[in-house]
């Protein structure tokens, strides 16, 4: 199976929701557990969360780690 193509740069949740169909609360729990990439702190605000496309692609490929 080929990995889906993501736009380069930063992504909002709505841009990868179709690839990772978890509820927002589930994603937050996974982030706290170190099992999902956290949003980019430099680009995120209190209400808007932005992820690096490289982190989401690595998560989808199974190569992301919380190192």
């Amino acid at each position: 199976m080929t990995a889906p193509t993501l736009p380069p740069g930063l992504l909002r949740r709505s841009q990868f929701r179709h690839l990772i169909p978890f509820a927002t609360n589930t994603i937050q729990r996974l982030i706290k557990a170190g099992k999902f990439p956290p949003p980019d702190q430099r680009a995120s605000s209190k209400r808007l969360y932005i992820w690096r496309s490289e982190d989401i692609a690595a998560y989808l490929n199974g190569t992301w780690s919380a190192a």
Side-chain angles (χ1 to χ4, degrees), residues 16 20 22 27 30-38 51 56 59 64:
F16 64 86
I20 304 172
F22 298 147
I27 288 181
L30 290 171
I31 290 169
K32 286 181 183 179
K35 297 180 180 180
F36 192 84
W51 282 264
I56 299 301
Y59 177 82
W64 181 83

Side-chain angles (χ1 to χ4, degrees), residues 1-66:
M1 182 171 122
T2 344
T5 305
L6 293 169
L10 300 173
L11 302 172
R12 291 182 177 195
R13 172 81 175 98
S14 61
Q15 292 176 286
F16 64 86
R17 178 171 281 148
H18 64 287
L19 300 172
I20 304 172
F22 298 147
T24 302
N25 289 340
T26 302
I27 288 181
Q28 290 173 351
R29 275 183 291 206
L30 290 171
I31 290 169
K32 286 181 183 179
K35 297 180 180 180
F36 192 84
D40 188 312
Q41 294 298 318
R42 296 168 294 158
S44 297
S45 69
K46 193 172 188 175
R47 296 184 65 190
L48 175 68
Y49 296 100
I50 304 288
W51 282 264
R52 293 175 354 127
S53 62
E54 297 86 8
D55 290 344
I56 299 301
Y59 177 82
L60 290 169
N61 292 332
T63 58
W64 181 83
S65 66

